[in-house]
Amino acid sequence: MARSLERSVRFVRPGRYILNMLLFLILVGGVVYYLSPYSPNPSTILIDAFNENRALNGLILGVLALGVIYNLNQAGMLEGAINWIEAFRETVDPRRARLPKPPGVINAVAQLLLDADERGGRLSFESTRAILDSLATRMDEGREMGRYIGHLLVFLGLLGTFWGLIQTVNGVGATISNLAIGADTGDAITQLINNLKAPLEGMGTAFSSSLFGLSSSLVVGFLDLQASQAQGRFYSDLEDWLSGRTDPGRADGARTAQAYEGDVAAALQAMESAFAAHTAELVKAHAANTAQLKDEIRALNRSLIRGGKD
């Protein structure tokens, strides 16, 4: 049953998840193209927003590119892991000499599998648990970096927002301070319009940074979701495959020693409980015999007293 389960498990390739990522990126690219000057309905909204703060918005787009590449790599490296496991499962060489070098994500897993293969190929429950825990730890470490990139994009967007708001507040303060009291109405309005350029530039920085930061976070979040689903499916398939190679009745040496110590402790505890129960029964029987002896002595005394009176 276990071997049939081992042979029946087929690992799902990460290609479908990578395809979802690429389709989503194409969709995002289509939206960007539609809002660009090169679309059938030319628009400069994105270029104008980017020019509000080129340094910060350029940094956001750079982090976005890093997040896209990182998440694609997180999903793509599972292909190498699946190829190694398939080669391990299909090879007939008992020495496993022709196996390729395992990728980093399953390096520890591969070592544990090779060690178990040298001992007969079957895994104990503890070895299977160690393999799955090692893989889960590696995947969690990779996902933490992806989440950090998404949070960094949100932070950069908020940073630009507060940066722009500070510029707006300072610009409004300067505008109010520079108003000429008692001047001609036309000149005052012209001066007010000219002085409002700085606050409006600050608002442009705030909104443009929020636009790029939150939009980039949305893109990276979707890619991270697809990469996590690909890793989760690989983990489930590996767990099913390892369950076919696991011998529930087999235990490692350390586990056997622990079980032996536990059996000895249980036996000693049982003996102690039995001894205590036996001692309690002896004490109870002794108390009953003592009480009976006292009753017989009292009865004998009463008989002697009656005989003396007679």
Side-chain angles (χ1 to χ4, degrees), residues 182-201:
D184 183 67
T185 304
D187 295 338
I189 293 176
T190 302
Q191 182 183 6
L192 177 62
I193 293 174
N194 293 330
N195 291 337
L196 284 176
K197 291 182 179 179
L200 292 178
E201 290 178 358

Side-chain angles (χ1 to χ4, degrees), residues 33-279:
Y33 172 75
Y34 181 78
L35 297 176
S36 70
Y38 306 101
S39 66
N41 297 319
S43 174
T44 60
I45 181 173
L46 290 181
I47 294 179
D48 293 339
F50 179 80
N51 290 331
E52 291 294 339
N53 193 328
R54 294 184 178 181
L56 184 58
N57 293 333
L59 177 61
I60 291 175
L61 294 181
V63 175
L64 170 62
L66 176 63
V68 171
I69 295 173
Y70 181 81
N71 283 289
L72 287 173
N73 180 68
Q74 284 293 106
M77 68 181 181
L78 297 178
E79 185 71 22
I82 294 175
N83 290 336
W84 189 91
I85 293 176
E86 293 290 349
F88 176 84
R89 184 163 60 173
E90 295 175 1
T91 184
V92 295
D93 184 7
R95 296 179 299 174
R96 311 286 185 178
R98 296 184 178 181
L99 283 177
K101 183 179 180 181
V105 68
I106 61 167
N107 192 19
V109 174
Q111 187 60 44
L112 291 172
L113 285 174
L114 292 174
D115 292 342
D117 193 59
E118 293 178 357
R119 298 192 301 267
R122 306 301 294 171
L123 296 170
S124 65
F125 177 79
E126 288 75 15
S127 298
T128 302
R129 190 73 264 164
I131 290 174
L132 294 175
D133 290 343
S134 173
L135 180 62
T137 301
R138 293 290 183 92
M139 289 183 174
D140 288 340
E141 291 175 355
R143 282 195 288 264
E144 288 176 0
M145 183 61 183
R147 296 190 188 101
Y148 174 77
I149 293 176
H151 296 162
L152 178 60
L153 289 171
V154 175
F155 167 76
L156 292 175
L158 293 176
L159 177 63
T161 300
F162 289 111
W163 186 353
L165 290 177
I166 291 174
Q167 291 179 346
T168 300
V169 172
N170 293 335
V172 170
T175 299
I176 295 175
S177 300
N178 294 331
L179 284 177
I181 301 176
D184 183 67
T185 304
D187 295 338
I189 293 176
T190 302
Q191 182 183 6
L192 177 62
I193 293 174
N194 293 330
N195 291 337
L196 284 176
K197 291 182 179 179
L200 292 178
E201 290 178 358
M203 293 299 295
T205 299
F207 287 115
S208 66
S209 298
S210 297
L211 171 66
F212 284 105
L214 296 179
S215 300
S216 300
S217 176
L218 173 65
V219 174
V220 171
F222 180 82
L223 299 182
D224 180 69
L225 174 63
Q226 294 299 312
S228 298
Q229 289 180 349
Q231 292 177 350
R233 184 56 186 266
F234 172 72
Y235 182 89
S236 299
D237 292 341
L238 181 64
E239 185 177 18
D240 293 339
W241 177 63
L242 290 177
S243 64
R245 297 177 59 88
T246 302
D247 186 0
R250 180 175 179 175
D252 293 337
R255 176 62 183 170
T256 303
Q258 293 176 358
Y260 176 76
E261 293 176 359
D263 293 340
V264 172
L268 291 176
Q269 186 176 4
M271 292 176 61
E272 183 179 356
S273 300
F275 179 76
H278 182 65
T279 302

